[in-house]
Amino acid sequence: MKDLTGKTIYLKDYAPPAYLVDEVHLTFALAPEATRVKSRIRFRPNPDSASRDFFLHGEELTLISAVIDGAPVTPKITEEGLTCPAPDAPFTWEAEVEIAPARNTALEGLYMSNGMYCTQCEAEGFRKITYYPDRPDVMSVFTVRIESDLPVMLSNGNPGDSGPGFAEWHDPWPKPAYLFALVAGELVNHPGSFTTNSGKDVELNVWVRPGDEGKCAFAMESLKKSMKWDEEVYGREYDLDIFNIVAVDDFNMGAMENKGLNIFNSAAVLASPETSTDANFERIEAIIAHEYFHNWTGNRITCRDWFQLCLKEGLTVFRDAQFTADMRSEPVKRITDVIDLRGRQFREDNGPLAHPVRPESFVEINNFYTATVYEKGAEVIGMLKRLVGDEAYAKALDLYFERHDGDAATIEDWLQVFKDTTGRDLSQFKLWYSQAGTPRVAVEETWEDGTFTLTFRQSTPPTPGQPDKAPRVIPIAVGLLGPNGDEVQETTLLELTQAEQSFTFTGLSARPVPSILRGFSAPVILDRQSSNAERAFLLAHDTDPFCKWEAGRALARDVLLRMLNDGAAPDRDFLGALAATLADESLDPAFVALVLALPSEDDLAQAQVDAGRVPDPQRIHEVREAMLDAMAEALEAPLRRAYDAHQVPGPYSPDADAAAARALANTALMLLSRRDGGALAQAQYDRADNMTQQLAALSALLTAGAGDDALRAFEAQWKDDRLVMDKWFSLQAAHAAPDAAATVARLTEHPAFTMKNPNRFRAVFGAFAMNQAGFHHASGDGYRLMGDWLIRLDRLNPQTTARMCSAFQTWRRYDADRQDMIRDTLRRIISVDGLSRDTAEMIGRILDA
Ligand code: BES
Ligand code: ZN
C-alpha cells in the first residue's frame, strides 16, 4: 500500500521494550477543560532488551512537569511522545500533564459523555491520558486516585480509601495500559453479588444514568450466568472483590473489558421488554459474557503486541459463542454466526481490505478490529478444537492458563500448548493465521461397486500482497444419507491437507447423498454441483441442522440467481420445500424462520460476481422482492397458521423459546403484510406490549407501504428514549426506495440527529450502507451523501469514520459508471486536508486494490 498516511508498523520489527514498569500511581484532578493527571511510575531496565532509549508515548498532552528520581528533566517532545536521558538502573518518573476531556470528540482517552467522565484506552488511547510506554507487553500494577465533586468515582481493581472529593483504587493484577479505566459521574447502580466456586464473595454493579436503573436487571443476570459458566466450562474464577459495569451513551464500540471496570455502550447493556427487541437481549447477554470472559483471555493473559489481537479476540468470540450456544439453541447460534461470517468476513476477504487473521502490518491498529480478526479468528479456534477433539482442547486450555498467566503472549505460544498437549505438528495449520482469503473447496463424487468417493480440490484466490497461497489443513465434517433419508454414515471428520485429495466410503448398499461441511466445520466456500431435488432432499432429511439449513439456502440462492440471470419465474419446487418446512412441527420455530429468510441482496451481488457477472443492485432488489411476493402468495395459508400458532401468551420474556416463536411469527407477518395492505401488522402494532412485536409490526407496515402513521406514532411515543429512537432512524435509512438517499438526507435534518453520538450516526449511515438498492442507486446520490458525512464526521471521530468506510469495500464489483462515482467519492475523501490517519489508511487501502 502507498503510505500517504503515516508510519507503517510491521510484526517482523517487534522488539521488546527498553524499560519495564513495576508500579504506576496516577492522580486525576478532574475538570472538563483542564484535567490534571499526575503520574509516578517505577521503571527498571529490561534485561531482555539491549536498548536503553527511554521513550514514552504521549499525544495531545500538555506537559506541566517531568522529574526523574526527584530531579526535573526537560524531555524532547514530538507528536508521538517524548524521549529523555534515563538511568541504566531502576528509577522513578514523575510527571504532570493537562488534558481537556470536554473537547475530546474522538471518544478515545479520557472524554465526557452527558456530564460523565469516562475512558477508552484500547488499543492506543492511554497515551492521550499521560506519558507512558503504551504497549501491551508493558504490564504493571496500578494505583489510582480520583479527585472531583462527583458522587461516583471508579477505576480498576479493588476500592481503597475514599471521602468527600476523592476516591482511591488499587488493582493488584499487573496489566497493560490499554486495560486502564476511569469513570466519574452522577451514576446510580443496580447491585448484585456472586460467590465464586472457591467461596469468595464478589460485589457486582451495573452503573447507569439516573432514570435507567430499571433497565439493568437483564445485564446483571447475564453477568452472573457468565461468571458461573466460565467456572464450569473453563475452570476460570473471578479474581477481584468487585466487578463494575458502566453504561455510556457515547461509545465507539460495543463494550470494553477494562480490568474490573467494564465500560459498555449503553445500547449493549440497557434492556427492558418495552424498549429492547429479542435480538437486543441476545446481544446484551453475549457481549456481557464476551467482556467478562476477557478477564482471563485478554487480561490475565494479554497480547504481546497488537498483531496478536486474535489471541484474545478470536478466542473470546469463540468462548462467547459457546456460551450463547449453551444458554440458547446451539444450531440457531451456529447458523446465525455463519450468516454473519459470510456477510461480513467473506465480504472482507473478497475485497481490498482482505488481511490475515494475524496481520503483518498496519498504520492504525484501530482499523484491524475486523470481522477477520474476530470472527475468522474464532473459526480458526473452532477448527483447532475439532481437529484435536474436545478433551485435548480442554487440556490445552488448562495448560495455556497455567503456563501463560501473567504473560503478554503470542499466537506461537497459543499453538505451542496444543502441540505440547497433543504432539500434533501444527505448522500447516498455522497458515490459517498468516494467509488471507477464503479457501474455495470444490468437491466431486463418484460411485462404484458400493464405494463412494469424495474428491476435494482447494484453492484460495489472491489477496492484497498475497498472490499465491499454500494448501491449508481443512477439517471437513461429512455424513451420508441413504436414498430413503436415513443416515448411513454418521458425522466423520475428513482432514484435507493437500491441494487435491480423495476420501472413500465403502460397504454402502446404495449411492448415498453426502452432507458436507457439517456444522460449517471450516470457514471455506464449498463448491459442489448439486441438483435442486437433492437440496430439497437434504433440507427435508439431513440430521445436521447446519447442513439442513444450508441446503435450503443453496436452493434459494440458485432459484434467485436463475430469476436474476435467466428471467426465470419463482420456482414451484422451492416454494414446496418451504411449505414442507413450515408444516414440520418438530422443527425449532427459530430454525424455520431462518429457512424462510432469503439470502441478502449483498449475498446475491457476491454470488453474481462469483459467477462472473456484474451485479445490478436495483435488479437484485426487485428480483428478491418478487420472490418474497411469490412466497407470500404461495404460502399464505401456512404462514397465517404459523403466525397464529406462534403468538406467545402472557407477559414478555426474552428467553430463547419465546424469542424463537416470535421470530417465526414475525417472519410470517413480514410476508403476510405483502398481501393484506398491512392490516395484520397494524393490529399487531396497536396491541404490542414489547419492542420485538412493535418494531416487527412497524417494519412490516413500511414494507406494505402503510407505515407513515405508525412512524409518526412511534416517534411521538419514543422521542425521549435515545436507544429506541436509534431504531426509528435505522428502520427508515434501511428502507429500500428509489429516493432512499433523500430520505437519509432528511433524517440528518431531524432535530434528534447528531454526529457526536456514534450510535445515532450508525443508526442512519450504517443502516443506509446496508441498503443495497438505496446506497448503490444509479444516480450516485448515495455515494455522495455518504462521502459528505464521512468527511464531516472525520473531524470529530476518526475511529467511527474509518469503520464506516468499509461501506465502499465492494466497489470493484459494480459497473464502470458506479465505479467512477465511487472512485470520485473516495478521492474526494482522501484529499481532505488534515484527514485522520484512520480514515486515510482505510480509503487508501480501498482505492489501491
Ligand atoms: N476489546 C474490545 C473492544 C475494543 C474494540 C476496544 C476496538 C478498542 C478497539 C471488546 O472486547 C470487543 O471485542 N467488543 C466488541 C463486542 C464483542 C461481543 C465482539 C465490540 O465492541 O463490538
Ligand atoms: Zn473482545
Side-chain angles (χ1 to χ4, degrees):
M1 191 200 118
K2 269 194 305 280
D3 186 9
L4 309 159
T5 50
K7 273 209 308 283
T8 303
I9 318 285
Y10 295 92
L11 169 59
K12 64 174 164 45
D13 293 344
Y14 173 81
Y19 288 87
L20 300 175
V21 176
D22 289 322
E23 247 178 75
V24 183
H25 290 260
L26 299 172
T27 301
F28 290 81
L30 295 176
E33 295 290 334
T35 288
R36 288 287 177 106
V37 185
K38 285 187 199 151
S39 57
R40 194 171 80 246
I41 307 170
R42 280 296 291 171
F43 283 101
R44 85 186 133 87
N46 181 0
D48 293 333
S49 169
S51 164
R52 287 297 167 259
D53 294 337
F54 181 64
F55 171 77
L56 302 179
H57 295 101
E59 287 175 16
E60 296 162 42
L61 305 172
T62 305
L63 182 63
I64 307 294
S65 63
V67 169
I68 288 182
D69 284 339
V73 291
T74 310
K76 190 166 161 287
I77 296 181
T78 69
E79 287 202 333
E80 272 131 57
L82 63 75
T83 53
C84 180
D88 190 3
F91 65 92
T92 301
W93 161 268
E94 287 167 284
E96 181 168 7
V97 301
E98 190 174 295
I99 52 181
R103 270 180 275 147
N104 181 349
T105 58
L107 314 183
E108 184 189 44
L110 178 68
Y111 66 94
M112 299 193 77
S113 170
N114 294 317
M116 156 186 172
Y117 293 85
C118 67
T119 56
Q120 171 54 40
C121 292
E122 189 180 1
E124 300 183 331
F126 191 75
R127 62 191 64 182
K128 294 182 167 178
I129 293 177
T130 192
Y131 286 101
Y132 196 76
D134 187 8
R135 43 186 288 169
D137 55 354
V138 174
M139 299 172 81
S140 175
V141 170
F142 282 64
T143 305
V144 175
R145 179 184 165 88
I146 309 168
E147 296 169 356
S148 91
D149 297 331
L150 292 163
V152 177
M153 294 177 263
L154 308 171
S155 190
N156 315 90
N158 296 319
D161 264 7
S162 62
F166 81 99
E168 292 176 356
W169 291 82
H170 176 72
D171 182 0
W173 298 103
K175 67 168 176 289
Y178 84 85
L179 292 172
F180 167 81
L182 176 155
V183 168
E186 274 168 42
L187 296 166
V188 290
N189 66 319
H190 176 107
S193 66
F194 183 83
T195 306
T196 68
N197 195 34
S198 58
K200 208 167 112 96
D201 287 325
V202 184
E203 176 186 337
L204 311 176
N205 291 297
V206 178
W207 295 93
V208 295
R209 283 166 62 186
D212 286 338
E213 52 276 55
K215 295 182 182 169
C216 302
F218 184 78
M220 179 57 79
E221 287 318 301
S222 302
L223 174 60
K224 291 181 200 166
K225 285 184 191 164
S226 308
M227 296 178 85
K228 185 116 200 86
W229 187 91
D230 215 14
E231 291 185 346
E232 284 173 354
V233 180
Y234 279 85
R236 297 296 108 202
E237 270 190 36
Y238 188 60
D239 54 5
L240 290 166
D241 304 338
I242 186 167
F243 188 80
N244 286 311
I245 288 177
V246 182
V248 180
D249 285 342
D250 301 291
F251 200 74
N252 282 332
M253 300 293 291
M256 176 64 208
E257 70 265 25
N258 317 298
K259 183 81 188 189
L261 177 53
N262 287 4
I263 298 182
F264 275 60
N265 187 320
S266 51
V269 193
L270 302 179
S272 77
E274 297 73 32
T275 58
S276 314
T277 62
D278 290 334
N280 295 148
F281 278 97
E282 181 171 337
R283 170 158 185 255
I284 290 167
E285 184 179 85
I287 192 162
I288 295 262
H290 178 98
E291 306 311 337
Y292 174 73
F293 295 159
H294 269 315
N295 191 55
W296 275 94
T297 52
N299 301 1
R300 288 286 286 261
I301 305 180
T302 195
C303 301
R304 185 193 71 173
D305 55 72
W306 292 117
F307 296 103
Q308 321 295 328
L309 183 58
C310 64
L311 180 74
K312 76 175 176 81
E313 294 301 348
L315 177 55
T316 306
V317 170
F318 182 73
R319 276 151 50 72
D320 83 54
Q322 288 181 299
F323 170 78
T324 298
D326 283 354
M327 296 298 126
R328 293 165 180 263
S329 152
E330 181 175 350
V332 169
K333 171 64 175 164
R334 188 65 188 140
I335 294 165
T336 49
D337 276 355
V338 174
I339 294 172
D340 183 68
L341 184 81
R342 288 175 172 160
R344 301 193 306 117
Q345 200 280 320
F346 282 20
R347 179 177 150 104
E348 188 163 77
D349 251 352
N350 241 315
L353 300 178
H355 57 275
V357 168
R358 181 167 71 174
E360 258 132 46
S361 68
F362 62 76
V363 173
E364 171 51 62
I365 184 57
N366 281 314
N367 290 335
F368 284 86
Y369 286 72
T370 59
T372 298
V373 170
Y374 275 65
E375 275 73 36
K376 190 175 178 180
E379 290 297 319
V380 170
I381 291 170
M383 285 191 285
L384 195 52
K385 181 162 177 281
R386 260 183 209 273
L387 287 168
V388 303
D390 293 353
E391 222 173 288
Y393 174 81
K395 273 202 193 129
L397 267 283
D398 286 345
L399 180 59
Y400 179 62
F401 292 123
E402 185 192 309
R403 186 183 283 175
H404 292 295
D405 186 11
D407 286 354
T410 61
I411 289 303
E412 282 72 18
D413 295 328
W414 163 254
L415 290 175
Q416 190 64 41
V417 300
F418 281 85
K419 183 157 188 257
D420 292 349
T421 307
T422 63
R424 217 184 146 105
D425 175 8
L426 291 168
S427 46
Q428 189 186 10
F429 185 81
K430 201 176 167 194
L431 292 172
W432 280 105
Y433 286 100
S434 58
Q435 288 190 165
T438 309
R440 311 284 200 268
V441 178
V443 50
E444 273 168 23
E445 53 212 66
T446 59
W447 168 247
E448 220 183 304
D449 298 335
T451 297
F452 185 67
T453 304
L454 290 173
T455 301
F456 296 93
R457 240 173 250 108
Q458 60 161 307
S459 65
T460 305
T463 50
Q466 292 189 336
D468 304 308
K469 315 279 161 99
R472 310 184 206 200
V473 193
I474 303 181
I476 303 185
V478 172
L480 302 177
L481 303 187
N484 64 355
D486 289 348
E487 189 165 82
V488 294
Q489 164 71 59
E490 65 176 30
T491 305
T492 173
L493 194 69
L494 310 180
E495 286 184 31
L496 184 59
T497 56
Q498 286 146 39
E500 180 176 339
Q501 207 168 344
S502 296
F503 299 87
T504 57
F505 299 86
T506 53
L508 298 161
S509 55
R511 182 177 182 135
V513 175
S515 159
I516 307 177
L517 209 65
R518 287 190 153 182
F520 198 67
S521 57
V524 301
I525 294 171
L526 192 68
D527 173 14
R528 174 164 176 271
Q529 299 308 313
S530 169
S531 68
N532 281 344
E534 193 191 271
R535 289 173 179 140
F537 174 86
L538 285 170
L539 173 58
H541 298 293
D542 205 324
T543 54
D544 181 75
F546 170 76
C547 281
K548 188 179 172 75
W549 169 82
E550 177 79 326
R553 169 78 19 150
L555 192 53
R557 192 185 301 117
D558 182 79
V559 165
L560 284 159
L561 287 177
R562 276 192 288 118
M563 289 169 72
L564 265 169
N565 300 338
D566 315 331
D571 184 280
R572 291 282 120 198
D573 294 339
F574 173 59
L575 296 169
L578 292 183
T581 307
L582 260 174
D584 185 346
E585 283 174 9
S586 71
L587 296 172
D588 176 351
F591 177 88
V592 178
L594 287 168
V595 173
L596 287 171
L598 296 178
S600 70
E601 292 175 18
D602 185 67
D603 286 349
L604 293 171
Q606 187 57 45
Q608 283 204 300
V609 174
D610 292 342
R613 290 174 182 263
V614 176
D616 173 351
Q618 189 58 39
R619 228 184 98 61
I620 290 175
H621 176 68
E622 285 160 14
V623 162
R624 194 170 172 281
E625 289 295 300
M627 185 74 228
L628 290 166
D629 285 343
M631 284 164 63
E633 187 188 345
L635 304 173
E636 186 162 6
L639 285 170
R640 182 66 217 214
R641 275 196 297 278
Y643 181 79
D644 291 337
H646 292 93
Q647 295 303 311
V648 186
Y652 174 90
S653 153
D655 68 85
D657 288 345
R662 282 186 292 268
L664 180 52
N666 285 331
T667 301
L669 178 68
M670 283 302 282
L671 290 165
L672 291 165
S673 302
R674 293 173 174 267
R675 298 184 61 74
D676 71 354
L680 193 62
Q682 188 66 55
Q684 173 167 321
Y685 189 88
D686 292 340
R687 69 165 190 275
D689 64 355
N690 65 75
M691 185 48 67
T692 307
Q693 296 298 84
Q694 190 178 11
L695 197 67
L698 179 59
S699 175
L701 284 166
L702 282 187
T703 308
D708 289 351
D709 289 347
L711 271 178
R712 269 190 296 275
F714 191 96
E715 182 189 4
Q717 182 182 357
W718 294 115
K719 59 182 184 313
D720 297 325
D721 189 306
R722 57 212 182 278
L723 295 177
V724 178
M725 281 304 284
D726 285 337
K727 302 183 200 303
W728 182 85
F729 276 100
S730 207
L731 202 61
Q732 295 176 78
H735 185 63
D739 58 348
T743 302
V744 170
R746 189 170 46 72
L747 289 173
T748 64
E749 277 153 26
H750 190 283
F753 178 79
T754 166
M755 273 200 293
K756 292 198 172 146
N757 178 258
N759 291 359
R760 186 59 45 90
F761 192 88
R762 279 189 292 253
V764 174
F765 288 98
F768 182 50
M770 306 285 284
N771 177 347
Q772 297 293 302
F775 179 55
H776 292 284
H777 190 272
S779 64
D781 290 348
Y783 305 143
R784 280 187 291 274
L785 185 70
M786 183 72 82
D788 293 346
W789 281 93
L790 291 179
I791 289 169
R792 274 180 219 163
L793 183 66
D794 190 64
R795 290 193 282 266
L796 299 178
N797 187 333
Q799 261 184 53
T800 293
T801 310
R803 300 200 127 246
M804 305 235 356
C805 292
S806 60
F808 291 108
Q809 71 178 315
T810 54
W811 70 294
R812 294 281 186 185
R813 272 183 192 166
Y814 298 101
D815 54 86
D817 285 349
R818 285 190 173 84
Q819 286 198 28
D820 286 347
M821 292 187 290
I822 297 176
R823 192 185 295 102
D824 285 349
T825 296
L826 295 175
R827 288 195 177 143
R828 190 155 62 86
I829 298 173
I830 207 162
S831 59
V832 165
D833 256 355
L835 191 72
S836 70
R837 179 172 56 170
D838 310 55
T839 303
E841 181 188 25
M842 290 297 281
I843 301 286
R845 282 165 64 206
I846 294 171
L847 267 174
D848 259 12

